[in-house]
Each structure stands twice: as structure tokens, then as C-alpha cells.
Amino acid sequence: MLSVRILAKNDRRLTIAVEQTGKNPQTIVDTALDSLFKRLKIEDPGAQEQAAHEDTA
């Protein structure tokens, strides 16, 4: 569980995004973070561990 504070302007825009898309705030935040991480080329270290574990199973 992660709890963060966001700027008021982002909170207002998140509210509009929820209203316009029908998606919940968590989904929108996860999608935005995923997009940012891809743009910054930040890999999920857990994905490599999971793949290695599946290869040995």
C-alpha cells in the first residue's frame, strides 16, 4: 500500500479524468506511472525475477 499527496491542480485534473473516462483514480495513476517509467526506461526488477522463477519451474 502506498499513500502519496498530489498537488491540488493534479487532484482537480484527476477528478476530471475519472469523470471523463469512467476509470477509477488508481487505474489512472497506475497508467500514468507506467507511461512515465517506460519513457524514462525504468524496468520492473520484479519482472526479471518472475521470469527467472518461471524458467526454473
Side-chain angles (χ1 to χ4, degrees), residues 6-54:
I6 62 173
L7 298 174
K9 68 177 184 174
N10 290 334
D11 186 44
R12 292 188 298 269
R13 294 192 304 187
L14 180 59
T15 299
I16 292 169
V18 168
E19 292 169 356
Q20 289 182 358
T21 66
K23 295 180 180 180
N24 64 50
Q26 183 67 53
T27 298
I28 294 171
V29 170
D30 281 337
T31 301
L33 284 172
D34 190 51
S35 178
L36 173 65
F37 294 149
K38 284 180 182 177
R39 193 167 53 247
L40 295 174
K41 296 179 175 38
I42 297 174
E43 301 286 328
D44 174 7
Q48 294 171 354
E49 293 172 15
Q50 182 68 28
H53 177 67
E54 290 173 358

